[in-house]
Amino acid sequence: MPDHHQLSNFIWQIADLLRGPYRPPQYERVMLPMTVLRRFDCVLAKSKTQVLAEYDRRKERLQGEALDSRLNAVAGQRFHNHSPLDFARLKADPDHINRHLPDYIDGFSKNVRDIFDYFDFKSEIAKMHEANILYLVVAKFCDIDLHPDVVDNIQMGLLFEDLIRRFNEAANETAGDYFT
């Protein structure tokens, strides 16, 4: 099992792809949402087929919270994704990634979509696409296995803490500001 320092270093190397269109203090606009998105993708991988089948059965009869609740139960989580896309499929179609990545995010349950709305991540997707780095970033994240069997919740928390510390250091924040 990789430790959070190894993962953080790998993700920080991916952040180097952002150099140019982003300054180091802005890396977190992409790297935190991408890390969260990849974690969600890994968590939901085992139930993906069942969720898609249930979505096809129920999408005409259920909507909103009722549908989300049913699909969450099938996923065995407090969230789900009913998009046929995942990171592997996104990586396999570089020519359409700028359309597919927002569609993939829209396939999540409302509680997860709200997270990405808070990050205003769709505007970052457009910015990365314009800079010709969107596919490179997604492809690199596809290489990270953040499944809970590989990276447990404690390691994941330490990973986020380390990334946030690095982002704050890049923004010249004082020591300890990242804890608040």
Side-chain angles (χ1 to χ4, degrees), residues 144-162:
I144 305 170
D145 187 355
L146 296 179
H147 190 277
D149 291 345
V150 177
V151 181
D152 65 27
N153 290 338
I154 292 170
Q155 288 293 318
M156 200 69 202
L158 293 171
L159 168 63
F160 277 113
E161 183 179 304
D162 193 47

Side-chain angles (χ1 to χ4, degrees), residues 51-65:
V51 170
L52 290 175
E54 186 69 11
Y55 177 72
D56 286 340
R57 277 194 297 274
R58 307 280 183 172
K59 67 183 175 185
E60 300 299 323
R61 290 176 280 171
L62 297 176
Q63 298 177 18
E65 274 188 46

Side-chain angles (χ1 to χ4, degrees), residues 3 13 22 29-30 34-35 41 43 47 51 76 101 105 110-111 117 129 156-157 166 171 180:
D3 71 14
Q13 288 174 347
Y22 293 87
R29 296 179 187 175
V30 172
M34 285 298 297
T35 302
D41 186 69
V43 167
S47 64
V51 170
L101 185 55
I105 292 169
K110 183 180 180 334
N111 57 343
D117 288 345
H129 177 67
M156 200 69 202
R166 287 178 185 217
T180 57

